[in-house]
Amino acid sequence: TPQPGPSETRYTSMPEATLAPSPTPVPVGETPLRFVVHELGIDAPVISAMVQLVEVDGKVFQQWAAPDEKAAGWQTTSAGLGVAGNTVLIGHHNVYGKVFEKLIYLVPGDIIEIYGEEHLYRYEVVNKLLVEERDMPVEKRLENAQWLMPSTDERLTVVTCWPETSNTHRLIIVAAPLDDEPLPTPTGLK
């Protein structure tokens, strides 16, 4: 379980055991199509993120690339909406439309809405982390990546870089489902 170090900011409103990543098979659910945070004025499409292979210290790793447009990228190997698992979205905060420019202002209790093909899913922010990433040893970066792993609970994890001028850290937002049942997607709002 990743533990915050002196350079990390962390907010939680759920027990740690509920938020800790745990590997499980990825279940199928609805494809995320739209990302909305009313309080921050964010309303953007969600598209499939691209994955690339990178070599670090002689080892090959998968690395997801955020879309080069004003859109959130869905890591398609993560869970779909409405099922147990970790739905992972990534996006830029300082280039290519700055889809997650204001994500840093989210706090526990804020609401994120994700539209699927048939339903609207509402999530409440329960955890906010700033973790060192750039120039960190592979072990630290893998520790950070645990937050993107599959989970046994239903959750949404949103990731971007931070701060604007150096991108040395990752901002990780974890949100839990707010509603017992997803709402039907309003006509014309997909």
Side-chain angles (χ1 to χ4, degrees):
T1 301
Q3 296 297 316
S7 64
E8 297 172 351
T9 302
R10 181 186 181 121
Y11 306 92
T12 60
S13 62
M14 289 179 59
E16 183 68 27
T18 310
L19 296 177
S22 57
T24 60
V26 176
V28 178
E30 279 193 68
T31 298
L33 301 175
R34 186 170 153 211
F35 179 91
V36 177
V37 180
H38 294 287
E39 293 84 1
L40 301 179
I42 300 173
D43 189 338
V46 177
I47 62 175
S48 296
M50 301 299 292
V51 68
Q52 56 194 5
L53 298 178
V54 296
E55 186 176 332
V56 179
D57 296 337
K59 294 181 183 177
V60 177
F61 298 94
Q62 281 189 347
Q63 182 179 51
W64 289 92
D68 289 345
E69 60 187 273
K70 189 170 186 168
W74 175 43
Q75 292 185 0
T76 56
T77 56
S78 71
L81 301 169
V83 295
N86 190 9
T87 305
V88 180
L89 302 179
I90 58 176
H92 291 293
H93 78 290
N94 62 350
V95 294
Y96 300 113
K98 303 178 183 182
V99 68
F100 288 158
E101 177 181 27
K102 297 178 183 175
L103 207 64
I104 190 72
Y105 300 112
L106 282 176
V107 295
D110 284 347
I111 305 302
I112 299 172
E113 294 182 347
I114 306 291
Y115 289 81
E117 298 113 336
E118 301 292 328
H119 297 96
L120 165 62
Y121 297 85
R122 294 166 31 96
Y123 296 87
E124 179 179 358
V125 174
V126 294
N127 204 347
K128 177 180 178 179
L129 300 99
L130 276 174
V131 296
E132 292 180 298
E133 182 77 13
R134 185 190 291 156
D135 300 325
M136 290 289 107
V138 170
E139 296 77 24
K140 173 65 175 164
R141 294 169 70 190
L142 289 173
E143 181 182 304
N144 295 344
Q146 289 182 39
W147 290 97
L148 310 180
M149 299 284 291
S151 65
T152 56
D153 61 320
E154 182 182 348
R155 72 174 75 178
L156 171 69
T157 302
V158 186
V159 181
T160 193
C161 298
W162 187 88
E164 181 180 0
T165 56
S166 65
N167 293 331
T168 56
H169 290 66
R170 294 296 175 267
L171 171 63
I172 302 171
I173 303 292
V174 180
L178 186 62
D179 303 315
D180 291 333
E181 294 292 324
L183 305 170
T185 298
T187 305
L189 292 181
K190 287 185 185 178

